[in-house]
Amino acid sequence: MNTNKSKAAFKEAIKHIPGGVNSPVRAFNSVGGNPLFIQSAQGSKITDIDNNEYIDYVGSWGPMILGHAHPDVVEALHRTAENGTSYGAPTLMETQMAELICEMMPSIQSVRMVNSGTEATMSALRLARGYTKRDLVIKFEGCYHGHGDSFLIKAGSGALTFGTPNSPGVTKGTAIDTLTAKYNNLDSVLSLLEQYKDQVAAIILEPVTGNMGVIKPTDHFIKGLRKACTDHGTLLIFDEVMTGFRVAKGGAQELWGITPDLTTMGKIIGGGLPVGAYGGKKEIMDMLAPNGPVYQAGTLSGNPMAMAAGLTTLKLLNTTEGFYEELEEKSAFLAAGLQKNLDELNFPGVINRVGAMFTLFFTSEKEVNTFSDVMKCDTERFAKYFRLGLQGGIYSAPSQFEASFVSIAHSTEDLQKTIDKSREALEQLI
Ligand SMILES: *Cc1c(COP(=O)(O)O)cnc(C)c1O
């Protein structure tokens, strides 16, 4: 496989872009080699500038659930662009978008559009603090909520201490307001809530994690969080930027039957354009300006192009008969094939999957349910597997600690080829 043009392009990019990329994971640092520069994408396939075609499981990190360049989305964008691309004034599409989100995720009664998942979580946290008049937030080790300062915090030493910044530029002052608990460990949360009684504004989590690889919440954990939040007057924020409209039409909250107080969204709701949103109980959302005192705004929020792509995508998800059943079938077929490879080759690994997101963990553990399980993975083995995959025409996330995404555009042929190539890669790794 020749990737000379990508190599040359990366050299050029590095001159004027930090690390040559506009988001660090794209640099392939954890798997080695150069990133591929992408020319185009269609359906389940992505093509680099050297004209190599790959079956794509990154899907722009989640948004492309319909596949790339879906004709309805492209048509909506053309139609919208001809009428101007931004007005800074209300449009009918924004109301339609809000209505549809509220219909698909019934815990949401009122919703504000923003421009990224990061903006959604930052704003939801400010709102939670404004509403509860409390400062602290509890997040979980291994969960990712974008790059807002409050979330770039790692656990301090000892289970019950305040966090410390995990990026220079995040102040100690910010870090002391973020507490870190352990995912799938309810006790770690309950003890923080006891220790910081009446001070915790919100608990935020990825209800199904994707950003440390796919991990499901136990019923005990997720139901316990809901109850603990209610008991302590703390808001429960589900960060469904990745899982929303992905693991089910109504997100992880539908699958686990939990009603969060606030939900953050992104990725799929933009249909491939930059969009985020946060919403929840009307009483809480009414604290936002201009109704209430909590300030949040955006020049391009609710942008017509973004609404056109997002609304077209969500409408298709909402109205296509059997969409999520078909997506589940495809995803289950792929996961079963990958599992069969592991079993037949007696290759150590764990596949975690919820709907159309999954991770193959390179580990000799029997299960992966926690951040410390994830940390036991063999990242070097993963990196080799990743590179073999690329050579076989499979484009998946260049990190062990990410999810892969199946779209409705993946054909049985694509999935079978992926299973076969995965087997070849595993055989080479033995
Ligand atoms: C991607 C992601 C974010 C951040 O969204 P951006 O659009 O990249 O800012 C936040 N939370 C979760 C769970 C995500 O997967």
Side-chain angles (χ1 to χ4, degrees), residues 23 61 115-121 143-147 205-208 210-211 239-243 264-267 274-276 405:
S23 194
W61 299 92
N115 305 291
S116 67
T118 294
E119 242 188 283
T121 57
C143 284
Y144 177 72
H145 306 293
H147 65 90
L205 77 157
E206 293 179 72
V208 171
N211 289 291
D239 181 357
E240 298 230 39
V241 170
M242 187 183 287
T243 53
T264 55
M265 291 154 280
K267 300 200 165 111
V275 181
F405 302 102

Side-chain angles (χ1 to χ4, degrees), residues 118-129 134-141 143-155 162-181 201-204 237 239:
T118 294
E119 242 188 283
T121 57
M122 281 167 41
S123 309
L125 181 55
R126 182 183 308 130
L127 174 60
R129 286 171 165 158
R134 300 175 180 183
D135 288 346
L136 301 183
V137 59
I138 296 177
K139 69 181 255 300
F140 294 90
E141 212 175 15
C143 284
Y144 177 72
H145 306 293
H147 65 90
D149 284 4
S150 296
F151 304 115
L152 294 182
I153 309 293
K154 58 179 178 248
F162 291 110
T164 53
N166 71 6
S167 164
V170 177
T171 65
K172 288 191 206 89
T174 298
I176 60 167
D177 286 330
T178 301
L179 306 168
T180 307
I203 296 177
I204 185 168
I237 306 176
D239 181 357

Side-chain angles (χ1 to χ4, degrees), residues 337-338 340-342 344-345 347 360 362 381 384-394 414-430:
L338 297 176
K340 189 157 170 267
N341 290 342
L342 292 177
E344 289 178 1
L345 298 170
F347 194 100
L360 166 52
F362 286 79
R381 208 165 207 200
K384 284 183 196 141
Y385 174 79
F386 169 80
R387 290 194 297 266
L388 289 167
L390 271 192
Q391 283 160 27
I394 312 296
D414 291 333
L415 300 170
Q416 188 57 53
K417 180 179 171 194
T418 306
I419 294 165
D420 296 343
K421 291 292 169 187
S422 173
R423 187 181 180 104
E424 285 171 27
L426 296 180
E427 280 166 351
Q428 290 196 50
L429 288 175
I430 290 171

